[in-house]
């Protein structure tokens, strides 16, 4: 994939396809200086009046010999009322439709999408993201490998004056989409391949590519740290747990780091509290929090962001076994708090709480954990928004705004102290489940007990990290949200 800025006038360009926006009244954007020959050709097509009328719809037509072999009409109701979300949808529709045709070079006149809300950089950013995101092909293990065919050169045609903004839009869009694609790849891998060790090797590779530092702690080292809660989850599995650390130190020495903690359960069978069989394969996606952390590290590496960022990943499998942790077992977390494990399927919080305690040593500016934590979150918000929990209004607001800006939506949930007593245990400091009511909130309440020493937010991505059904696959969310959050920190 190649993205370029062309500041020649449209009449000097040629391409396999040109993208043209058409409004409700069948008019093209008036400021485009198309040659008369092309204009006549387009008018003939438009006059037939059979281009779809739905906003965001795409129609492709062939043209007579000329600079552009095809035209891709996209319907916008009104240029003035287009917003970023509408533009991203439209861009995604365009690249979906390109999968079935042969187009290498794409001409994209930027001006037709500009209005008060959308500037040139945003157009470049959203189209770049959409092109890479939509061209993602699952790195499948099918034996008849098909060669990848979605390899475009996109020429953004715009005024020279806007070149800096467009170049930055392309750069950030590309970095974010490539981070997302890494997250999708890791999520989609089968759990017999994507093990804790595999994730650790990925962290090492990213560290090597972007001059970061990565450290992997072995079971012995994790024991030394007294992460009794994390280790209890790993007990039922034959694969070794790993505690993965990856550090990007490109900020001032004196500036405190942002710590990202990702749930890295490479397979969640439920353990002794075994899950039902239906769709259990999807629990390979229970490491999508970890994959998000690695995806964001890749993005910030590509952008070389001047920040200090630490990624922490407690990675293991949750399996049933003769030696597995049992309902009723009491374990001691790294913080010293004792936990009564009433359900071994509530394992995410058990691995995260020790990683959150470990995060204290960085004296962090913020700590954000990302986890496919609860089925209850899917019941509450469905598949459109990730859930944000935080006691800090400022941090919650920053995350929601980053989600809005990147069109990777999040919604705030309450974390009030009234919910805390649901976690009371007769035998230990805290129980690992709070009953049926408010399941995603009590899970967040559990984590909150380990995050008193810094500003913290929890993002539950159980509903947003992957799609089920015929379209099964990881989404790469919320890499875009978190990258936007960190990019914004560099602009302050
Ligand atoms: N990984 C699951 C959460 C999950 C389930 C995410 C389905 C996406 C889809 C988590 O470890 C889990 O099993 N949570 C339990 C908690 C319960 C036992 C309190 C759940 O949600 O059922
Ligand atoms: Mn579970
Ligand atoms: Zn889980």
């Amino acid at each position: 994939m190649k993205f370029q800025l062309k500041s020649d006038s449209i009449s000097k360009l040629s391409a396999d396809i040109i993208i043209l926006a058409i409004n409700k009244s069948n008019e093209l954007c008036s400021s485009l200086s198309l040659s008369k020959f092309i204009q006549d050709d387009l008018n003939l097509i438009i006059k037939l009046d059979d281009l779809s009328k739905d906003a965001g719809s795409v129609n492709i037509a062939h043209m007579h010999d000329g600079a552009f072999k095809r035209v891709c009409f996209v319907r916008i109701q009104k240029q003035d009322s287009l917003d970023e979300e509408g533009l991203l949808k439209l861009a995604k529709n365009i690249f979906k439709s390109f999968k079935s045709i042969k187009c290498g070079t794409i001409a994209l006149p930027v001006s037709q999408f500009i209005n008060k809300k959308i500037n040139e950089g945003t157009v470049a950013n959203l189209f770049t993201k959409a092109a890479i995101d939509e061209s993602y092909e699952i790195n499948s293990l099918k034996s008849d490998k098909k060669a990848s065919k979605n390899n475009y050169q996109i020429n953004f045609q715009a005024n020279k004056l806007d070149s800096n903004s467009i170049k930055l839009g392309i750069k950030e869009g590309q970095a974010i989409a490539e981070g997302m694609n890494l997250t999708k790849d890791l999520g989609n891998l089968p759990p017999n391949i994507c093990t804790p060790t595999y994730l650790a090797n990925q962290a090492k590779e990213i560290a090597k590519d972007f001059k970061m530092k990565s450290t992997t702690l072995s079971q012995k080292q994790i024991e030394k740290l007294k992460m009794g809660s994390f280790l209890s989850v790993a007990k039922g599995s034959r694969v070794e747990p790993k505690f993965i650390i990856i550090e990007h130190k490109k900020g001032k020495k004196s500036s405190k780091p942002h710590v990202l903690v990702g749930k890295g359960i490479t397979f969640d069978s439920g353990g002794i509290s075994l899950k039902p069989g239906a769709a259990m394969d999807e629990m390979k996606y229970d490491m999508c929090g970890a994959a998000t952390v690695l995806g964001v590290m890749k993005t910030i590496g590509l952008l070389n962001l001047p920040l200090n960022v630490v990624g922490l990943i407690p990675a293991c499998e949750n399996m049933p076994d003769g030696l597995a942790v049992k309902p009723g077992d009491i374990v001691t977390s790294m913080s010293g708090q004792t936990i009564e494990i009433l359900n071994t399927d509530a394992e995410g919080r058990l691995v995260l709480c020790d990683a959150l305690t470990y995060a204290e040593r960085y004296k962090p500016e913020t700590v954000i954990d990302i986890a496919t934590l609860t089925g209850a979150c899917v019941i509450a918000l469905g598949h459109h928004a990730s859930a944000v929990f935080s006691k800090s209004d400022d941090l919650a607001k920053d995350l929601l705004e980053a989600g809005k800006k990147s069109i990777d939506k999040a919604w705030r949930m309450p974390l009030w102290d009234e919910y805390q007593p649901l976690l009371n245990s007769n035998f230990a400091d805290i129980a690992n489940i709070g009953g049926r009511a408010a399941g995603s909130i009590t899970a967040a309440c559990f984590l909150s007990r380990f995050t008193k020493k810094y500003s913290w937010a929890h993002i539950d991505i159980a509903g947003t990290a992957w799609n089920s059904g015929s379209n099964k696959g990881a989404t790469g969310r919320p890499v875009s949200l978190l990258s936007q959050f960190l990019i914004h920190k560099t602009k302050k």
Side-chain angles (χ1 to χ4, degrees):
M1 207 83 78
K2 253 175 126 183
F3 303 90
Q4 271 183 350
L5 173 72
K6 297 274 180 193
S7 35
D8 306 313
S9 88
I10 301 181
S11 55
K12 295 228 172 80
L13 295 185
S14 63
D16 292 327
I17 195 159
I18 180 167
I19 295 171
L20 294 176
I22 181 166
N23 71 14
K24 228 166 130 179
S25 335
N26 271 348
E27 292 156 346
L28 293 172
C29 177
S30 59
S31 60
L32 297 179
S33 50
L34 295 160
S35 74
K36 182 163 181 324
F37 179 71
I38 291 175
Q39 187 76 61
D40 289 346
D41 211 5
L42 295 173
N43 285 340
L44 281 175
I45 302 170
I46 293 170
K47 234 198 210 147
L48 295 173
D49 198 30
D50 50 12
L51 301 175
S52 166
K53 296 276 190 300
D54 300 335
S57 63
V58 173
N59 287 98
I60 293 170
H62 294 87
M63 313 234 321
H64 288 107
D65 277 352
F68 305 109
K69 296 195 186 110
R70 304 174 189 79
V71 54
C72 167
F73 290 105
V74 283
R75 184 73 72 175
I76 55 177
Q77 296 301 19
K78 245 169 106 190
Q79 187 172 346
D80 285 346
S81 52
L82 190 65
D83 62 7
E84 286 165 297
E85 192 174 348
L87 182 59
L88 181 64
K89 270 196 195 133
L90 173 158
K92 285 189 178 184
N93 287 346
I94 290 173
F95 293 108
K96 261 186 207 130
S97 73
F98 285 6
K99 283 183 188 173
S100 54
I101 59 171
K102 291 184 196 128
C103 55
T105 51
I106 299 168
L108 201 155
V110 172
S111 67
Q112 42 185 352
F113 302 108
I114 304 299
N115 61 29
K116 274 189 204 129
K117 278 177 262 170
I118 299 175
N119 64 25
E120 288 76 8
T122 305
V123 175
N125 182 280
L126 295 179
F127 271 92
T128 302
K129 258 199 221 163
I132 301 173
D133 193 20
E134 282 303 324
S135 307
Y136 175 78
E137 282 163 18
I138 290 183
N139 203 347
S140 85
L141 299 175
K142 291 184 184 173
S143 44
D144 62 332
K145 283 252 179 280
K146 287 185 198 106
S148 161
K149 54 181 177 344
N150 306 319
N151 200 359
Y152 311 121
Q153 158 143 359
I154 301 179
N155 294 328
F156 292 100
Q157 185 270 335
N159 196 309
K160 245 204 183 91
L161 290 174
D162 301 317
S163 64
N164 284 340
S165 138
I166 290 183
K167 279 182 190 151
L168 183 66
I170 293 172
K171 190 175 158 197
E172 291 183 353
Q174 197 165 11
I176 291 171
E178 282 175 18
M180 286 173 72
N181 282 357
L182 171 65
T183 300
K184 291 186 229 174
D185 273 340
L186 294 174
N188 288 330
L189 278 172
N192 59 331
I193 293 179
C194 188
T195 58
T197 301
Y198 189 95
L199 289 176
N201 289 338
Q202 285 292 311
K204 277 181 205 156
E205 239 175 72
I206 294 169
K208 201 176 98 217
D209 290 349
F210 302 107
K211 300 198 166 61
M212 298 181 188
K213 182 180 169 204
S214 97
T215 316
T216 304
L217 306 183
S218 64
Q219 166 133 14
K220 264 211 177 117
Q221 291 168 300
I222 302 168
E223 279 164 8
K224 256 204 187 131
L225 286 167
K226 300 206 162 88
M227 293 187 170
S229 182
F230 172 28
L231 286 167
S232 74
V233 176
K235 270 177 69 186
S237 167
R238 309 284 176 97
V239 306
E240 200 194 339
K242 299 284 180 194
F243 190 86
I244 304 162
I245 304 163
I246 177 163
E247 295 167 84
H248 169 92
K249 298 190 215 181
K250 307 286 160 63
K252 287 196 200 103
K253 268 227 164 81
S254 61
S255 85
K256 296 171 166 181
H258 297 279
V259 178
L260 304 175
V261 181
K263 173 177 172 183
I265 299 293
T266 58
F267 187 73
D268 180 10
S269 70
I272 296 297
S273 312
L274 193 64
K275 285 184 181 294
M280 204 204 267
D281 66 291
E282 294 190 8
M283 282 299 114
K284 72 175 184 179
Y285 290 115
D286 214 18
M287 37 55 73
C288 282
T292 296
V293 171
L294 294 174
V296 173
M297 295 311 286
K298 177 165 184 177
T299 298
I300 66 176
L302 284 165
L303 293 173
N304 203 18
L305 288 191
L307 287 176
N308 297 325
V309 180
V310 179
L312 299 178
I313 297 171
C316 70
E317 278 181 346
N318 184 23
M319 297 292 276
D321 180 79
L323 289 174
V325 71
K326 307 170 287 298
D329 281 0
I330 294 180
V331 298
T332 305
S333 65
M334 185 182 180
S335 72
Q337 295 176 81
T338 55
I339 304 165
E340 185 185 16
I341 298 175
L342 291 173
N343 188 320
T344 65
D345 198 10
E347 84 299 337
R349 60 199 81 180
L350 296 174
V351 305
L352 289 169
C353 69
D354 282 340
L356 290 167
T357 301
Y358 188 88
E360 286 173 5
R361 68 186 55 202
Y362 296 99
K363 302 199 167 41
E365 176 77 31
T366 62
V367 176
I368 302 166
D369 78 75
I370 307 100
T372 48
L373 201 63
T374 62
C377 182
V378 190
I379 304 300
L381 293 180
H383 301 286
H384 298 295
S386 305
V388 169
F389 301 80
S390 184
K391 295 239 175 193
S392 159
D393 291 339
D394 289 336
L395 181 53
K397 183 167 157 265
D398 282 356
L399 288 168
L400 296 186
E401 270 171 15
K404 199 164 176 212
K405 174 108 186 49
S406 58
I407 315 162
D408 184 357
K409 290 180 186 168
W411 194 254
R412 191 173 183 187
M413 300 275 281
L415 189 59
W416 300 319
D417 289 336
E418 288 94 314
Y419 293 98
Q420 290 283 355
L422 293 169
L423 294 168
N424 286 350
S425 158
N426 285 355
F427 307 102
D429 296 336
I430 185 172
N432 82 325
I433 53 168
R436 264 172 55 81
S440 70
I441 302 174
T442 52
C445 284
F446 181 96
L447 298 177
S448 76
R449 305 225 188 169
F450 301 83
T451 59
K452 303 245 151 102
K453 298 201 174 137
Y454 45 70
S455 169
W456 161 76
H458 157 58
I459 308 183
D460 196 332
I461 57 169
T464 52
W466 75 92
N467 297 315
S468 306
S470 61
N471 172 25
K472 193 186 289 179
T475 60
R477 293 179 68 183
V479 169
S480 197
L481 180 160
L482 289 165
S483 302
Q484 179 58 42
F485 169 83
L486 292 170
I487 289 169
H488 186 68
K489 294 285 170 203
T490 66
K491 292 180 179 166
K492 268 189 188 162

